[in-house]
């Protein structure tokens, strides 16, 4: 059994769907059963979400673009937005099934509720709750190609829920895990996972293999080639993932990148890749009461509003019994976070709150960091050589991230890519 997933640019029009159908047909010849997961045609999800947003806010507000004073969206509105956003995948699944049928293959479309793909009720960012293949297994065993609408599932309230942007990757891995597929092939508009985004660094190199661990960090630190949850799920269920290009004809020998166990990777690099995210914001709470429980209060306020806090730095304030707290979060969540902190000012007892936007986070990732020294020094020196100031630093066993001014994002990514020799062939 094999699961194939095609992203938005791969199904952007009927001629590309035609090529996808040829890839699927070729795979069906070799496999015992094939399930295909598709994303919406390129641009459709953005368009649908834009329409939903306009309906929620009214035309006057949305024409001014997303502003900092946007009010938080209600749960009811998020559920309705999912109903709209999920249409894109219904369309592409139907079109691919029709194309396969025209080529003489047995194929049918499957929507989230038909499988069903059970999720939790976090509309807009739902998690898959149950990994069972339902009627899918017998269907593909009978030789029929299942064309599955990615990104969508059914919530406990029996409503359409979406898995968040890039969620079709996760749909595909979930289906692969449920079907106990031999592999999950993610076809996209690049021919594999690169040392960094090849659109930013043209000299980026394709990796033959990358460990689940590193891929998980790369994805969560901004490499959108795979949705973070898809890698999490693949790692948990030991689903081998392959990333490859849908722009090549099926006959050509494809390599792509295999995401697999660390043990299967012979040549271990100290640093395997560079990732980045833009649109970071920073909150500074100055002269905060330095008592047990204050940090817990701050971050429970954030958690209650579903705000994902990232880097956190606490330091002593010059004032007695006071501390300064700095943390980062996505730009879009800043108004919400400020409002929450403002309303808890008395309890938290801080003197001043400031915030900044226009920040980026740039990270280096590599399992080799566990056992090598001097990795951080090289990073900071490379940034210093370009005159880039580091705002906040955070580290884990296999990554180092720095917060910098967004205008230096590309410069920093290129400098780090060069500093660790990532563009050079692994054996040179
Ligand atoms: P799809 O629509 O197929 O899901 P995405 O746009 O979500 O495709 O992901 C593919 C894109 O990810 C590439 O076009 C590339 O610009 C970007 N990307 C970011 N980081 C990397 C990386 N390290 N390797 C490969 N692609 C990357
Ligand atoms: N169509 C959805 C999106 O654009 C899901 C996906 O492409 O994976 O986010
Ligand atoms: Mg994607």
């Amino acid at each position: 059994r094999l699961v194939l997933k095609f992203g938005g640019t791969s199904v952007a029009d009927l001629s590309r769907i035609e090529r996808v159908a040829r890839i699927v047909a070729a795979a069906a010849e070799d496999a015992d059963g094939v399930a295909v997961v598709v994303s919406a045609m390129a641009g459709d999800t953005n368009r649908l979400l834009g329409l939903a947003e306009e309906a929620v806010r009214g035309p006057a507000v949305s024409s001014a673009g997303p502003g900092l004073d946007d009010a938080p969206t209600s749960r009811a509105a998020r559920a309705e937005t999912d109903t709209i956003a999920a249409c894109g995948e219904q369309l592409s699944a139907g079109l691919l099934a029709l194309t396969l049928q025209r080529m003489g293959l047995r194929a049918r479309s499957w929507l989230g509720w038909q499988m069903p793909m059970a999720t939790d009720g976090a509309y807009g960012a739902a998690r898959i709750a149950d990994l069972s293949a339902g009627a899918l297994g017998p269907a593909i065993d009978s030789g029929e190609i299942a064309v599955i609408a990615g990104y969508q599932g059914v919530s406990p309230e029996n409503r359409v829920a979406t898995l968040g942007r890039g969620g079709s990757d996760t749909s595909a891995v979930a289906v692969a895990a449920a079907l106990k597929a031999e592999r999950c092939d993610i076809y996209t508009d690049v021919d594999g996972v690169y040392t960094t985004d090849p659109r930013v660094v043209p000299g980026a190199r394709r990796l033959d293999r990358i460990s689940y661990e590193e891929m998980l960090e790369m994805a969560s630190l901004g490499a959108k080639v795979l949705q973070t949850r898809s890698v999490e799920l693949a790692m948990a269920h030991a689903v081998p993932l392959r990333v490859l290009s849908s722009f090549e004809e099926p006959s050509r020998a494809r390599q792509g990148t295999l995401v697999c166990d660390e043990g299967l990777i012979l040549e271990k690099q100290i640093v395997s890749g560079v990732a980045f995210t833009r649109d970071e914001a920073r909150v500074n709470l100055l002269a905060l009461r330095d008592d047990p429980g204050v940090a817990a209060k701050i971050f429970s306020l954030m958690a209650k509003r579903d705000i994902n806090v990232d880097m956190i730095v606490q330091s002593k304030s010059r004032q007695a019994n006071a501390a300064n707290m700095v943390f980062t979060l996505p730009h879009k969540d800043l108004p919400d976070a400020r409002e929450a902190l403002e309303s808890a000012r008395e309890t938290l007892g801080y003197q001043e709150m400031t915030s900044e936007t226009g920040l980026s986070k740039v990270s280096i990732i590599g399992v080799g960091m566990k056992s090598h020294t001097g990795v951080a020094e090289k990073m900071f020196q490379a940034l210093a050589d370009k005159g880039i100031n580091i705002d906040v630093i955070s580290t884990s066993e296999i990554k180092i991230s720095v917060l910098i001014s967004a205008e230096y994002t590309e410069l920093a990514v290129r400098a780090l890519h060069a500093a660790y020799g990532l563009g050079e062939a692994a054996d040179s």
Side-chain angles (χ1 to χ4, degrees), residues 68 277-285 298-299 301-303 305-313 325-341 353-361 392 403:
L68 275 186
T277 53
R278 302 175 208 264
D279 299 324
E280 300 277 336
R282 177 179 135 144
V283 173
N284 316 300
L285 293 171
I298 295 176
F299 297 110
L301 281 172
M302 299 298 108
R305 297 189 177 220
D306 283 329
I307 297 175
N308 221 331
V309 171
D310 182 19
M311 299 165 136
I312 304 172
V313 181
M325 178 82 81
V326 171
F327 62 88
T328 66
L329 69 175
H331 182 164
K332 66 168 177 43
D333 292 329
L334 184 60
D336 224 6
R338 286 197 62 117
E339 189 187 284
L341 293 166
M353 169 166 60
T354 60
S355 57
E356 283 143 71
T357 56
L359 300 167
S360 284
K361 182 173 66 172
V392 180
L403 192 70

Side-chain angles (χ1 to χ4, degrees), residues 193-345:
V193 178
Y194 278 68
T195 46
T196 192
D197 190 340
R199 293 182 207 288
V200 171
V201 181
R205 187 170 47 83
R206 185 177 55 76
L207 299 163
D208 282 331
R209 291 179 178 209
I210 184 168
S211 65
Y212 289 118
E213 238 188 326
E214 287 172 311
M215 192 63 236
L216 191 59
E217 290 281 7
M218 290 265 275
S220 71
L221 294 167
K224 71 160 186 167
V225 59
L226 289 174
Q227 197 196 34
T228 307
R229 280 181 193 168
S230 73
V231 187
E232 247 166 37
L233 207 58
M235 189 156 114
H237 295 273
V239 177
L241 270 184
R242 201 163 65 143
V243 177
L244 60 181
S245 166
S246 71
F247 293 139
E248 291 162 21
E249 283 301 323
S251 58
R252 281 193 43 191
R254 283 198 182 78
Q255 296 192 307
T257 300
L258 187 70
V259 186
C260 59
D261 272 327
E262 196 186 323
L264 294 175
I265 299 173
L266 302 176
E267 266 188 278
K268 293 199 176 59
Q269 309 292 318
I270 299 176
V271 171
S272 303
V274 182
F276 56 92
T277 53
R278 302 175 208 264
D279 299 324
E280 300 277 336
R282 177 179 135 144
V283 173
N284 316 300
L285 293 171
L286 302 176
L288 193 64
R289 188 176 304 135
D290 196 8
D291 286 339
V294 173
K297 259 185 219 136
I298 295 176
F299 297 110
S300 88
L301 281 172
M302 299 298 108
K304 264 193 213 122
R305 297 189 177 220
D306 283 329
I307 297 175
N308 221 331
V309 171
D310 182 19
M311 299 165 136
I312 304 172
V313 181
Q314 186 184 292
S315 57
K316 286 271 175 217
S317 159
R318 261 185 244 155
Q319 295 180 30
N321 284 328
N324 297 329
M325 178 82 81
V326 171
F327 62 88
T328 66
L329 69 175
H331 182 164
K332 66 168 177 43
D333 292 329
L334 184 60
D336 224 6
R338 286 197 62 117
E339 189 187 284
L341 293 166
E342 201 71 68
S343 62
R345 188 172 189 142

Side-chain angles (χ1 to χ4, degrees), residues 9 99 103 118 183 209 244 277 319 345 375 399 414:
T9 37
T99 308
M103 289 168 60
R183 208 177 53 235
R209 291 179 178 209
L244 60 181
T277 53
Q319 295 180 30
R345 188 172 189 142
V375 181
K399 66 109 186 185
R414 292 195 184 120

Side-chain angles (χ1 to χ4, degrees), residues 5 7-8 39-40 45-46 85 89 150-151 164-169:
K5 180 258 171 180
S39 292
T45 309
N46 284 344
E89 274 72 11
Y151 182 51
R165 300 311 305 268
S168 299
D169 297 331

